Amino acid sequence: MNVVVESNRIYYEDAQGKLLAEVTFPDISYHVVNINHTFVDDSLRGQGIASKLLKEAAEQIQKSGKKAIPTCSYAVKWFEKNPQYADILETKSQNQP
């Protein structure tokens, strides 16, 4: 399985290039991304792949100095279970001048 890391997307694909899992987090402003999509192929479900992808995404967002707004239901739950990454979550008070 090949892991590909892009600026706003991390995904796994098999040797034939078939998408097996991904997390996407497009920019919504210069300093904020939206974690809006998590996908894992049925053949890989139950193996912790989505969690691994989100951990990688959170670390990438953290390194970039950006904040994240999770709108994907899986991502919302993942952040609840992984409070060590709460520092990258965008809060309403940060949006105010």
Side-chain angles (χ1 to χ4, degrees):
M1 195 166 14
N2 300 313
V3 179
V4 180
V5 178
E6 297 177 348
S7 62
N8 294 95
R9 179 181 181 218
I10 298 171
Y11 61 98
Y12 289 140
E13 60 184 15
D14 65 15
Q16 291 76 37
K18 178 186 176 192
L19 180 66
L20 297 175
E22 76 176 336
V23 62
T24 58
F25 43 102
D27 292 326
I28 57 174
S29 74
Y30 186 72
H31 296 289
V32 181
V33 299
N34 176 9
I35 304 174
N36 65 350
H37 174 70
T38 305
F39 161 77
V40 176
D41 187 78
D42 288 342
S43 66
L44 296 176
R45 294 218 174 144
Q47 298 180 35
I49 301 296
S51 181
K52 290 175 187 174
L53 288 174
L54 272 168
K55 181 177 186 280
E56 181 68 32
E59 290 174 357
Q60 184 173 328
I61 294 163
Q62 197 171 43
K63 287 176 189 172
S64 74
K66 293 183 178 183
K67 297 290 183 179
I69 298 173
T71 58
C72 164
S73 61
Y74 182 86
V76 170
K77 292 175 188 171
W78 186 88
F79 277 99
E80 290 172 359
K81 294 178 183 177
N82 294 276
Q84 68 272 30
Y85 293 102
D87 64 319
I88 70 165
L89 295 176
E90 175 73 2
T91 62
K92 290 182 182 177
S93 63
Q94 292 170 330
N95 287 331
Q96 299 174 356

